[in-house]
Amino acid sequence: MQNSEAMAVSAALLAAAGELTRRIHEGVVARGFEGVRPAHGFAFTRLAPDGATVTELAGHLRVTKQAASQLVEELVRRGYVERRPHPADARARLVVLTEAGWACTRAAEEAAADAVAEWADVLGEGGVAELRDRLLRIAPGGPIRPVW
């Protein structure tokens, strides 16, 4: 593969990922979840289904513990998460989604489905399934993280 081909593939994939993130965010806001940011969604993916400590969340997001603490504090103020005693470590606190956090997560899933449905209009259902399968073959395993 030529460098120009590699750059074209890279640019297209990054543009698609950025557009998908934008569409999901706009869909969440349109469903009534004002004040959320894409970074919140990346945190929600780690907090669902069983919660996480601030340290675990920091590792997932690849940010400092202080940055993760600030994000958690913001999400607590907005009512999307709450701190609970950790069931296995009396010194730790578990950050879990509230009902509002779960509702926001469901709104993001709906927005993602809407965006991907538009891809099916262009690629067809089989094309979307093939795209998914091929991306899963090359995508790294592990958490989905924001890049900033």
Side-chain angles (χ1 to χ4, degrees):
M1 178 180 284
Q2 298 288 329
N3 284 347
S4 59
E5 290 177 58
M7 287 305 296
V9 169
S10 299
L13 190 54
L14 290 168
E19 178 66 7
L20 182 58
T21 301
R22 184 188 68 76
R23 292 283 311 278
I24 292 170
H25 180 259
E26 287 178 355
V28 167
V29 171
R31 286 166 172 83
F33 295 91
E34 299 276 337
V36 293
R37 298 181 285 124
H40 297 150
F42 290 107
F44 288 0
T45 64
R46 177 60 186 91
L47 298 176
D50 299 320
T53 64
V54 169
T55 301
E56 291 166 339
L57 183 60
H60 172 81
L61 297 173
R62 290 189 180 164
V63 298
T64 65
K65 186 176 172 186
Q66 292 78 9
S69 291
Q70 289 175 349
L71 182 67
V72 166
E73 205 46 54
E74 180 181 356
L75 292 172
V76 166
R77 278 194 312 274
R78 294 183 184 280
Y80 293 118
V81 303
E82 64 185 14
R83 292 183 184 92
R84 293 185 182 161
H86 195 288
D89 183 351
R91 299 168 296 152
R93 303 281 291 165
L94 197 61
V95 180
V96 298
L97 294 175
T98 62
E99 184 51 45
W102 283 110
C104 188
T105 299
R106 288 189 296 274
E109 290 172 358
E110 293 168 4
D114 291 346
V116 173
E118 289 184 17
W119 295 355
D121 292 342
V122 175
L123 302 174
E125 293 292 331
V128 172
E130 183 178 350
L131 176 63
R132 178 202 62 224
D133 293 345
R134 288 178 181 233
L135 287 172
L136 287 172
R137 287 176 39 200
I138 62 171
I144 300 170
R145 296 180 168 108
V147 177
W148 64 76

